[in-house]
Amino acid sequence: MSRILEVRDLTVEYATPRGSVVAVESVDIDLAEGEFLGIVGESGCGKSTLLFAIAQLLTPPAAITSGSVVFQGRNLVGLTDKQLAASRWRNLSVVMQSAMNAFSPVKSIGAQFADAVRAHENWSRDRIRQRSAEVLRLVGIDPMHLKSYPHQLSGGMRQRAMIAMALLFTPELIIMDEPTSALDVVAQRSLMVQIKELQDQLGFAVAFVTHDMSLVSHFSDRLVVMYAGQVAEIGGTRTVFDSPAHPYSRGLLEAFPSIRGPKVPMTGIPGNPPELINPPPGCRFHPRCPVALAECSSVEPELYPVGEVEVRCLLHAKDGVARV
Amino acid sequence: MRYLLRRLGFFVLTLWAALTINFLIPRLMPGDPAIAILARFHGRLSLSALHAIEDSLGIQTTQNIWVQYVTYIGNTLRLNFGDSIQTLQPVSQVVGAAIPWTLTLVGVTTILAFCLGTGIGALAAWRRGGKADSVLPPLFVVGTGLPYFWVGMMLIILFAEVNPWLPVALGVDPGVTTGFNAEFIGNALRHAILPAAAILITSIGGWVLTMRNTMVTTLAEDYIRMARAKGLSSSRIMWDYAARNSILPNLTGFAMSLGFVVSGSVLVEDVFNYPGVGFQLVQAVENEDFPLMQCLFLLITVAVLVAVLLADVATALLDPRTRTAR
Amino acid sequence: MATIDVSAGVGEAPDTGRRSRRDFRFGGNLWLAIRSNRKASVGLGILVFFVILAIIPQWLKPGDPGAEIYARMAGPSAAHWLGTTAYGQDILAEVIWGARPALIIAILAGLFATVLSVLIGVSAAYLGGVADDVLNLFTDVFLVIPTLPLVIVIAAYAKHSSVTVLIIVLVITGWSYGARQLRSQALSLRNRDFLQAAKVRGERSSYVIVFEMLPTMTSLIVANFLGAALYAILTASGLEFLGLGDTSSVDWGTMLYWAENNEALQTGQYLWAVVPGVCIALLGTSFALLNNAFDEISNPALRPVRRLRVTHS
């Protein structure tokens, strides 16, 4: 399977009155055709910023200050909206967190679908309607709702309508920013199942951002754990999930109780994520890390390979052999 | 639709309030203007004319206040406002002659100011951080701080003395026959340009700033980002998604601010001696012509109320959320 | 009024403050906020200038400013920097002394109108339900009725009366706009956690309103005060210009009234006709600028956005 997305050294900064804040630092990510990549982390770790940076949807005061995003062989960074329009929606579409906010409240669903189509193709009204009805049926919504307005649909339906809209041109990559966060647990799971089914059916790749690690790990092929704007750990989901190499990932996973395992006292991760205007020296996680070494407060760790995964932790610094 | 019914109810209620205020003011003022009027004209008017004035003011001092009130409401609904003290012509006639002048001047100028203002506001918000946005809004803020009549006076100085290119007074040059002929219309238009400019300059700032501020908030919404993600063209996003969502919640507010524009136009008409409703109002006040004054006040209020109602109807038609609103 | 950003009839207004109570530290931040905002600095500068004129006119131009003792219609000269009126008054003296009544009217009317706005707007938001509907209706009625015509009619009946009546009328006609805005913001705060916490603690409603809600709304209240002051000065001068104020007082609007009565524009006495108007415009502008600045302070979304300088290889 070929790689459709290659993100190299991507850095995003925000201009603030107190100076510029690095929200995403030197991130490398690859995505193959049809792959499901989960991106997890706490609030404020930069995962949504990363996603929007990849899709070239940042607005001032945020901007990409270095790095490249090569999608289907083309570097998207620095292109104008006009130049990007060719790939937008046809090859790369977006699903957002709150469908209530992602749809314009004064236009019908059908009109917004039609907008997306007409921006790229010259189809007749009938053909647009046909295709819109088709994608709605794919997600299990009655096509009569094309005439409905966003506020007339239930939350779950709206979310699925958004996914349907993303499928209008059967793109190669769909970027999803916490699409399940606004739903209840049951709807969350059913939405995930639906996304996975559609993926199997249509073959698109997914980059999925969420704070709910356990939810995404059932469905993703690979997992990226982000902390304080950096990639903390990246690798196959099963490996990361079953034996997390980074103390942060371990802390995240241990915060979720297991239904079947023995009863153990829960441990959270003490402290708060750092303020990115002034990150801690050395490893950014060291103030909260239960197994920090002396040099962790002065040496900035790189991403070190450990088996199939890569970890940003000094514990794995020497030749990929875990010292602890 | 429940929404429209509520707005209609509001219209009726405010109308009633305006009528009542109109009725109460002379009675609440220190001293009694009714007595003052009567004393003033006592020797010079026939009894019937006196009664006419009493009627129009709703002051039949021999009857109790509720009867007066009911008579007053009845008269008003029948468009009987009595006679003007200045000319002894029926008030409705005087007012009727003035309405077309003001309607064209204020009506056209407001529509122009609204369209231009919201357009500029939308553009300024769209190009935020650009040069236009840093220069224009402060300029318009300054504009909102200018008194209407002073702008009028400045224009007069500019065009009467410095560059006598446009007429600075009256509705038409004396001697031009009224009627729907080209000469009259052309002449009237020339006379309307400066007053219109005064109103435009002072009122446009408000539209620009409101639109810009609402638009800025709208542009931060997710659906704008989504529209960008879909690859829609900039102009489409700006007008169809951003501007549309920005204007709608403001429509009724815009109409309500008409009250301010109308207030300003009163002063402008006075400065330019433009024979409209506002000018008549000032004349009426200066000459203590109370029947005329009351009628004009009512007229202006009703006009604003109608505008608000129209805006409500427009909102109901354009905003799908109102159809299922509480 | 400067800006209109409340919705009417459909849904709620945009959330004007997504911040917790902690973020609204006033005092020191205020000075910084004004200084960094150019509009506010200019506005404040102008305002201070006029305040000084209002406080110490006698130091600048002692004597009775309305005295008609000089040569009539004289042009500018060393003795009379701005010349004299058709009645032999020194224009500069009148302009300087005119600052005081202008500021008094603007500030007093603005203050009382704001108090009314806060009372009615915040109570409506806090009480909710039927009380809210009734107060809302009340507010809307006052908002729609066009102010200047109403003010003119009232002033006509009151017959060239005192400043007090003028201020009362301005307050009655000027509070409704602010009430709407404040109600909007109060509504968005109503269900915030820190208010719920106060209620759970058992605090009385009045305590919650005054000590918990109002402090977070300070910048909007100040913006409203400035807006009301702007409205007051413009309307008051409009009235005076029409001759409905106290025509014997020394006041910018009244100066313009007499100027027009004497056909100053047509006879070339421009200074008489222009300068008082410039003062009104300047004072009005200062209020408008400060109002706008405080709008931005209370709604961070409106502040200028920074852009990073980025070059892509």
Side-chain angles (χ1 to χ4, degrees):
Chain A
M1 280 192 294
S2 57
R3 265 193 247 144
I4 55 169
L5 182 70
E6 280 182 15
V7 177
R8 292 281 173 273
D9 200 38
L10 190 60
T11 304
V12 176
E13 292 182 42
Y14 279 83
T16 71
R18 293 183 287 168
S20 92
V21 175
V22 179
V24 170
E25 185 166 318
S26 304
V27 169
D28 293 339
I29 287 188
D30 288 337
L31 202 57
E33 256 180 58
E35 196 177 6
F36 193 126
L37 179 72
I39 305 177
V40 299
E42 282 172 282
S43 304
C45 70
K47 52 193 199 298
S48 292
T49 310
L50 171 63
L51 214 60
F52 289 131
I54 293 177
Q56 307 304 311
L57 288 176
L58 292 175
T59 47
I64 297 178
T65 50
S66 74
S68 65
V69 176
V70 177
F71 176 65
Q72 293 184 319
R74 212 163 61 122
N75 183 4
L76 301 181
V77 175
L79 294 183
T80 64
D81 274 344
K82 267 221 192 93
Q83 292 165 312
L84 289 165
S87 318
R88 283 208 160 127
W89 225 251
R90 255 201 275 250
N91 312 105
L92 167 63
S93 60
V94 176
V95 170
M96 295 207 188
Q97 179 171 353
S98 163
M100 189 63 235
N101 293 335
F103 280 119
S104 169
V106 299
K107 294 179 78 143
S108 69
I109 304 284
Q112 300 191 47
F113 277 38
D115 267 346
V117 173
R118 270 196 287 259
H120 303 283
E121 295 282 358
N122 236 339
W123 295 354
S124 69
R125 284 225 332 244
D126 280 330
R127 185 157 172 213
I128 296 179
R129 205 176 315 143
Q130 239 184 339
R131 178 67 185 154
S132 306
E134 213 178 310
V135 289
L136 275 187
R137 263 180 251 125
L138 266 179
V139 296
I141 298 182
D142 188 331
M144 76 163 185
H145 282 296
L146 281 176
K147 293 210 197 72
S148 307
Y149 288 92
H151 67 275
Q152 293 173 309
L153 300 178
S154 75
M157 277 175 83
R158 269 199 299 269
Q159 216 69 12
R160 282 182 287 143
M162 205 169 36
I163 294 179
M165 188 161 72
L167 291 172
L168 278 170
F169 290 113
T170 328
E172 278 80 33
L173 170 61
I174 302 188
I175 285 181
M176 305 197 183
D177 182 23
E178 305 208 46
T180 53
S181 304
L183 303 174
D184 61 82
V185 225
V186 176
Q188 272 182 10
R189 197 181 160 82
S190 95
L191 190 71
M192 294 298 300
V193 166
Q194 181 133 65
I195 293 176
K196 197 69 184 162
E197 275 175 7
L198 287 166
Q199 197 189 19
D200 290 337
Q201 214 182 324
L202 301 168
F204 51 83
V206 173
F208 193 102
V209 160
T210 178
H211 58 265
D212 190 345
M213 196 166 174
S214 61
L215 178 70
V216 77
S217 56
H218 290 293
F219 302 95
S220 58
D221 301 316
R222 282 165 67 228
L223 209 56
V224 175
V225 179
M226 288 202 62
Y227 185 76
Q230 295 174 320
V231 170
E233 187 165 349
I234 176 168
T237 307
R238 271 293 45 94
T239 323
V240 173
F241 208 76
D242 291 338
S243 38
H246 195 286
Y248 176 63
S249 323
R250 213 177 304 149
L252 276 185
L253 281 159
E254 283 170 6
F256 289 100
S258 158
I259 278 201
R260 286 180 212 101
K263 276 201 264 216
V264 283
M266 300 307 307
T267 45
I269 310 176
N272 288 312
E275 291 221 346
L276 289 176
I277 185 124
N278 206 3
C283 168
R284 292 189 181 175
F285 186 62
H286 86 259
R288 307 166 75 186
C289 182
V291 293
L293 305 167
E295 51 263 36
C296 290
S297 55
S298 52
V299 179
E300 284 187 25
E302 310 268 320
L303 272 175
Y304 307 111
V306 177
E308 300 163 13
V309 308
E310 288 183 348
V311 189
R312 189 183 298 272
C313 180
L314 290 178
L315 292 170
H316 303 278
K318 292 224 168 18
D319 301 302
V321 173
R323 285 154 67 191
V324 167
Chain B
M1 273 160 279
R2 292 229 314 261
Y3 173 72
L4 272 185
L5 281 177
R6 278 181 75 220
R7 303 310 295 174
L8 204 59
F10 171 71
F11 174 79
V12 170
L13 193 72
T14 315
L15 189 57
W16 169 81
L19 284 173
T20 313
I21 291 177
N22 217 1
F23 177 76
L24 287 176
I25 290 179
R27 287 162 183 70
L28 292 177
M29 285 296 121
D32 191 345
I35 310 266
I37 299 173
L38 296 179
R40 192 170 153 196
F41 289 103
H42 204 75
R44 293 183 278 146
L45 286 182
S46 67
L47 214 52
S48 56
L50 254 180
H51 281 316
I53 296 180
E54 282 185 335
D55 275 345
S56 66
L57 285 178
I59 313 170
Q60 288 81 17
T61 40
T62 48
Q63 294 162 308
N64 85 16
I65 198 159
W66 288 111
V67 178
Q68 290 182 38
Y69 186 55
V70 171
T71 324
Y72 162 74
I73 300 265
N75 277 341
T76 309
L77 290 177
R78 274 178 288 146
L79 294 182
N80 170 12
F81 297 102
D83 294 336
S84 154
I85 292 182
Q86 298 170 79
T87 59
L88 292 183
Q89 275 182 309
V91 164
S92 31
Q93 223 178 27
V94 176
V95 171
I99 288 183
W101 292 102
T102 302
L103 205 58
T104 34
L105 177 67
V106 176
V108 171
T109 311
T110 308
I111 293 179
L112 202 63
F114 175 76
C115 295
L116 263 182
T118 42
I120 296 179
L123 280 170
W126 185 253
R127 294 174 178 289
R128 230 173 135 202
K131 284 196 215 85
D133 195 40
S134 16
V135 167
L136 286 181
L139 215 60
F140 285 114
V141 171
V142 169
T144 59
L146 303 176
Y148 276 91
F149 59 92
W150 180 73
V151 173
M153 289 165 80
M154 290 298 106
L155 284 174
I156 289 182
I157 292 183
L158 202 61
F159 285 94
E161 312 299 323
V162 175
N163 181 5
W165 178 49
L166 289 171
V168 295
L170 303 176
V172 277
D173 292 326
V176 175
T177 42
T178 317
F180 275 114
N181 53 41
E183 190 201 358
F184 176 74
I185 293 184
N187 201 293
L189 276 177
R190 282 188 72 216
H191 281 269
I193 290 182
L194 283 186
I199 298 179
L200 193 72
I201 292 175
T202 330
S203 65
I204 202 172
W207 308 133
V208 170
L209 291 171
T210 313
M211 185 61 179
R212 176 191 172 267
N213 287 351
T214 316
M215 188 96 155
V216 161
T217 315
T218 307
L219 284 174
E221 294 278 352
D222 280 342
Y223 53 80
I224 301 292
R225 211 201 300 248
M226 189 58 132
R228 267 183 80 203
K230 289 199 283 194
L232 301 183
S233 69
S234 291
S235 61
R236 189 157 188 116
I237 300 180
M238 181 167 77
W239 296 113
D240 207 13
Y241 281 78
R244 199 161 150 185
N245 277 290
S246 305
I247 292 192
L248 279 177
N250 277 329
L251 264 183
T252 308
F254 282 142
M256 282 191 177
S257 68
L258 264 186
F260 291 112
V261 179
V262 162
S263 304
S265 67
V266 166
L267 294 167
V268 166
E269 282 188 13
D270 181 63
V271 165
F272 284 98
N273 282 347
Y274 190 79
V277 166
F279 180 69
Q280 290 293 346
L281 183 61
V282 175
Q283 294 292 93
V285 166
E286 279 174 12
N287 295 299
E288 296 185 333
D289 190 345
F290 295 112
L292 183 57
M293 219 163 64
Q294 293 204 315
C295 172
L296 287 169
F297 167 68
L298 217 49
L299 173 71
I300 295 176
T301 308
V302 169
V304 175
L305 279 180
V306 168
V308 172
L309 196 63
L310 285 177
D312 287 336
V313 169
T315 309
L317 288 176
L318 294 173
D319 190 340
R321 290 169 292 185
T322 56
R323 304 191 198 143
T324 47
R326 47 183 181 95
Chain C
M1 295 290 160
T3 57
I4 309 171
D5 63 348
V6 295
S7 63
V10 181
E12 297 293 314
D15 189 348
T16 49
R18 303 177 194 270
R19 295 159 70 172
S20 75
R21 187 165 173 236
R22 280 179 286 125
D23 297 336
F24 279 84
R25 283 190 316 271
F26 220 52
N29 275 354
L30 170 64
W31 180 238
L32 206 66
I34 292 187
R35 261 197 335 163
S36 61
N37 184 330
R38 219 175 331 159
K39 287 193 289 250
S41 314
V42 171
L44 193 62
I46 299 178
L47 187 60
V48 165
F49 169 68
F50 282 117
V51 167
I52 293 178
L53 282 191
I55 296 181
I56 46 160
Q58 57 272 25
W59 285 13
L60 298 164
K61 272 279 175 180
D64 176 12
E68 303 175 1
I69 52 181
Y70 304 109
R72 305 186 162 208
M73 295 201 273
S77 64
H80 306 285
W81 290 3
L82 295 175
T84 60
T85 68
Y87 301 103
Q89 301 153 311
D90 181 6
I91 292 182
L92 181 61
E94 287 200 296
V95 165
I96 290 180
W97 282 84
R100 181 181 288 180
L103 275 171
I104 289 179
I105 292 176
I107 293 181
L108 279 183
L111 208 61
F112 288 123
T114 307
V115 166
L116 262 184
S117 300
V118 170
L119 269 175
I120 297 186
V122 175
S123 308
Y126 192 74
L127 296 172
V130 174
D132 183 18
D133 281 337
V134 167
L135 283 175
N136 237 5
L137 204 53
F138 188 60
T139 309
D140 277 351
V141 166
F142 271 92
L143 192 54
V144 167
I145 294 184
T147 45
L148 192 63
L150 177 62
V151 169
I152 288 178
V153 169
I154 293 179
Y157 283 115
K159 269 199 217 311
H160 311 286
S161 59
S162 63
V163 176
T164 321
V165 172
L166 182 61
I167 292 185
I168 291 179
V169 169
L170 288 174
V171 169
I172 293 178
T173 50
W175 64 266
S176 50
Y177 184 77
R180 228 144 193 278
Q181 269 200 315
L182 289 169
R183 172 181 173 273
S184 240
Q185 203 196 27
L187 271 180
S188 73
L189 285 176
R190 187 166 55 155
N191 292 320
R192 222 45 91 66
D193 285 343
F194 67 92
L195 290 179
Q196 305 284 41
K199 272 216 268 223
V200 166
R201 284 204 311 266
E203 306 284 3
R204 286 196 323 263
S205 294
S206 48
Y207 170 88
V208 174
I209 295 180
V210 173
F211 290 102
E212 300 272 354
M213 271 179 116
L214 289 187
T216 58
M217 296 171 60
T218 330
S219 37
L220 195 61
I221 294 180
V222 173
N224 263 300
F225 163 70
L226 291 162
L230 175 63
Y231 162 73
I233 185 81
L234 289 182
T235 310
S237 11
L239 271 187
E240 285 163 2
F241 174 69
L242 293 175
L244 294 172
D246 183 358
T247 47
S248 62
S249 69
V250 173
D251 207 323
W252 296 332
T254 317
M255 283 178 75
L256 289 169
Y257 168 72
W258 289 116
E260 213 203 356
N261 263 14
N262 287 281
E263 311 212 324
L265 286 179
Q266 288 85 329
T267 55
Q269 302 176 65
Y270 292 147
L271 287 174
W272 193 15
V274 169
V275 175
V278 169
C279 292
I280 300 174
L282 276 177
L283 187 60
T285 303
S286 82
F287 284 133
L289 285 171
L290 283 170
N291 179 341
N292 195 263
F294 272 91
D295 267 345
E296 282 185 4
I297 292 177
S298 73
N299 186 354
L302 295 176
R303 295 189 201 156
V305 177
R306 293 156 187 281
R307 285 170 185 262
L308 278 176
R309 297 235 154 273
V310 202
T311 47
H312 294 291
S313 48

